[in-house]
Amino acid sequence: MVVKGRRKKSAPRPLTEEDEGYLKWKVRIPLIYDWFTNDNLSWPSLSCRWGQQLEEKAYKNIQRLYLSERTDGTYPNTLVIANCEVVKPRTAAAEHISVFDEESQSPYVKKIKTIIHPGEVNRIRELPQNSNIVATHTDSPEVLIWDVDAQPDCGDDLGAAESHPNLILTGHQSNAEYALAMCNYEALVLSGGRDNLVVLWCIRDHVSSLANTTSLGVPVGSPSCMQSMNASEDKISDSPTVAPRSVFHGHKDTVEDVQFCHFSPQEFCSVGDDSCLILWDARAGRSPALKVEKAHDGDINCVDWSPHDENFILTGSADSSVKMFDRRNLTSGGAGSSLHTFRHHKAAVLCVQWSPDKSSVFGSAGEDNLINIWDYEKVGASYEHFMRMPTAPPGLFFQHAGHRDKVVDFHWNATEPWTIASVSDDCARVNGGGTLQVWRMSDLIHRHEDEVLAELEMFQDQIFCCSHKN
């Protein structure tokens, strides 16, 4: 009998293979994570980046976190500055990290400022010399530079005008949406776009003046974004522009990602939809220093240059593979010969990044909802190691399966060991626009095996006692 006035419950949909995998992962959280938190976002974030550490406490540290909000047009797109409480290793209780609601916000992540962005934020990159300076890519040819401390907070005001970027970098002839990097040594910005170009700017002379005024010469903290939406037809036209230092030609299709060499501000690399990996040296001119044709069997979506070894480069592709290249072995022309190809993703790889904590470790994320953590030193693992993990491909030692849809970005934390922030666009599966997760695998997973066994032996009496009680 159906009670009048109450809605009849629909039959639950059958569980998919992905659903079952997610539920199995959720049960294992207290076993495989040292810390984990889930934040249900109002809108999808296409990028996430760690900023500077703001405060150190006894059991947690406060750190800046950059996110974005890609809306449906009824609300403005935003660049979000948040503070994240990062719990220190071996502090969080297992029962605490294992209980979370996918549709709730995390108590560890607090939004502190909103910048209304002219267009959706596709990429965020921070300037290493001054983490208050960030660059963003949107659906336009320009790169936008923001001094986030100088920018006023627009809050949740739906009638607020778009914020004014502090600088606008010009030089692209068509939209530049994703490929964006900043140099570790100098105030250099690198970008790639649909015009097949790689463009380089120097903003050194502009950065020092950003701390005192906004881009329009308005005093810091002026509520310029509280003006009416009709106050200006072109919200960014008044911002000062910077022309490129150099423009580089070599790709035959859209440039999807760029990265500086961590050991030289003059060297950088790029990848694109032409399946090419190109190495550049600004001292040698505007043509490729080395071009690897057919580096993958599909579009190359991402690239990262090792911060530990100037010779190692990672690429991730629509062919669902990750490749590791040694530039000493590369020659121009022909198919690219990689040191190793890492295969375990079931869909396109969207992001790759080397770990700052161990030189042989890196992560890869893709449209299969997964973040895989690899160690290339384990590629030639012993037979005993293979027997413990017979289904794992060579080099894979951890898999984060907490996202319900494609993982669009992730970022290793440079100051909090083995800590990662990741975002996914899973509004179709979760009641919200997307998901932010901040997590750290248990150190029993990534530490040397002999170390782990020695520690477990110290607690073998307690383990033996508990097993007998159960």
Side-chain angles (χ1 to χ4, degrees):
M1 182 179 71
V2 179
V3 179
K4 187 177 181 180
R6 292 185 181 181
R7 185 178 179 181
K8 186 178 180 180
K9 292 183 179 180
S10 59
R13 66 177 178 85
L15 291 178
T16 66
E17 184 179 347
E18 288 183 353
D19 293 330
E20 291 177 351
Y22 174 79
L23 293 175
K24 289 179 181 178
W25 166 84
K26 196 171 181 180
V27 170
R28 295 171 185 157
I29 288 177
L31 301 176
I32 60 178
Y33 290 90
D34 177 72
W35 181 55
F36 171 85
T37 187
N38 184 92
D39 190 44
N40 180 236
L41 304 172
S42 300
W43 299 99
S45 179
L46 296 182
S47 190
C48 63
R49 299 293 291 186
W50 290 106
Q52 63 183 323
Q53 188 177 96
L54 303 172
E55 186 179 356
E56 186 170 355
K57 297 184 177 182
Y59 299 105
K60 59 187 177 184
N61 297 326
I62 312 299
Q63 191 159 350
R64 178 71 52 84
L65 184 63
Y66 297 111
L67 301 165
S68 66
E69 291 177 319
R70 185 193 65 188
T71 70
D72 60 1
T74 58
Y75 292 83
N77 294 285
T78 65
L79 171 63
V80 175
I81 296 89
N83 285 350
C84 182
E85 297 180 351
V86 183
V87 176
K88 291 188 175 181
R90 299 200 169 195
T91 300
E95 62 269 17
H96 181 69
I97 66 172
S98 62
V99 179
F100 70 93
D101 182 356
E102 289 88 344
E103 299 183 5
S104 298
Q105 294 182 326
S106 169
Y108 298 98
V109 181
K110 297 177 182 178
K111 184 191 297 187
I112 61 169
K113 182 179 285 189
T114 299
I115 296 172
I116 295 183
H117 198 272
E120 63 185 44
V121 182
N122 297 325
R123 281 290 183 273
I124 306 168
R125 293 294 182 264
E126 71 288 349
L127 183 66
Q129 300 86 18
N130 183 348
S131 61
N132 291 326
I133 307 298
V134 300
T136 58
H137 253 328
T138 186
D139 295 334
S140 75
E142 294 81 24
V143 177
L144 307 182
I145 304 296
W146 307 87
D147 182 345
V148 296
D149 278 358
Q151 288 286 333
D153 180 17
C154 294
D156 297 321
D157 184 7
L158 295 180
E162 290 174 352
S163 304
H164 295 271
N166 297 80
L167 293 173
I168 300 175
L169 310 186
T170 62
H172 277 293
Q173 300 170 10
S174 185
N175 283 0
E177 299 167 340
Y178 296 104
L180 185 63
M182 283 184 153
C183 179
N184 283 337
Y185 292 98
E186 298 181 22
L188 301 176
V189 183
L190 194 65
S191 170
R194 291 189 179 183
D195 52 10
N196 310 345
L197 300 177
V198 174
V199 184
L200 177 69
W201 296 268
C202 178
I203 60 172
R204 180 182 59 246
D205 296 337
H206 305 272
V207 169
S208 59
S209 63
L210 295 183
N212 300 318
T213 60
T214 68
S215 61
L216 302 177
V218 180
V220 173
S222 173
S224 60
C225 69
M226 303 306 291
Q227 301 166 359
S228 167
M229 284 292 287
N230 298 322
S232 172
E233 291 296 322
D234 187 355
K235 304 300 187 300
I236 67 173
S237 61
D238 294 327
S239 301
T241 60
V242 179
R245 170 185 281 188
S246 299
V247 178
F248 300 88
H249 302 260
H251 282 283
K252 297 178 181 178
D253 208 334
T254 299
V255 180
E256 294 287 358
D257 202 9
V258 291
Q259 186 58 259
F260 281 99
C261 174
H262 292 269
F263 299 89
S264 169
Q266 304 298 330
E267 296 178 83
F268 41 92
C269 61
S270 60
V271 294
D273 292 347
D274 55 4
S275 302
C276 291
L277 165 64
I278 299 182
L279 276 59
W280 310 86
D281 190 331
R283 297 163 296 192
R286 301 182 180 183
S287 298
L290 190 149
K291 182 176 183 179
V292 181
E293 306 275 2
K294 201 67 175 175
H296 279 266
D297 293 329
D299 299 352
I300 307 179
N301 298 321
C302 47
V303 65
D304 196 28
W305 206 317
S306 172
H308 311 285
D309 191 314
E310 63 182 357
N311 295 306
F312 292 158
I313 297 172
L314 294 172
T315 56
S317 172
D319 66 11
S320 74
S321 73
V322 176
K323 289 190 177 184
M324 177 179 169
F325 293 90
D326 184 337
R327 67 170 175 173
R328 294 168 295 188
N329 299 338
L330 298 178
T331 57
S332 290
S337 177
S338 59
L339 281 180
H340 190 76
T341 300
F342 300 86
R343 301 185 187 277
H344 197 58
H345 284 286
K346 298 177 182 178
V349 178
L350 302 179
C351 183
V352 291
Q353 191 192 0
W354 291 95
S355 166
D357 301 301
K358 186 179 179 182
S359 61
S360 58
V361 171
F362 63 90
S364 61
E367 292 184 353
D368 57 358
N369 316 346
L370 300 173
I371 300 176
N372 292 330
I373 307 298
W374 310 81
D375 187 340
Y376 70 75
E377 289 184 345
K378 296 187 185 321
V379 169
S382 64
Y383 176 76
E384 289 77 11
H385 180 271
F386 173 78
M387 291 305 294
R388 286 194 296 271
M389 300 180 64
T391 60
L396 181 66
F397 72 96
F398 188 82
Q399 191 172 73
H400 178 68
H403 290 283
R404 310 298 297 277
D405 213 320
K406 62 181 179 181
V407 182
V408 292
D409 199 13
F410 75 94
H411 193 207
W412 292 88
N413 193 315
T415 57
E416 299 287 347
W418 295 90
T419 304
I420 292 175
S422 53
V423 287
S424 57
D425 183 357
D426 45 12
C427 55
R429 290 177 170 270
V430 180
N431 185 22
T435 299
L436 162 70
Q437 294 180 344
V438 185
W439 49 278
R440 179 172 54 239
M441 73 179 79
S442 168
D443 62 12
L444 299 178
I445 296 173
H446 62 74
R447 284 164 54 202
H448 193 278
E449 186 175 304
D450 293 340
E451 255 185 78
V452 173
L453 291 175
E455 180 176 337
L456 293 177
E457 284 181 3
M458 295 172 59
F459 298 99
Q460 62 180 342
D461 292 339
Q462 290 93 325
I463 296 172
F464 180 77
C465 180
C466 290
S467 64
H468 272 265
K469 287 181 179 179
N470 294 332

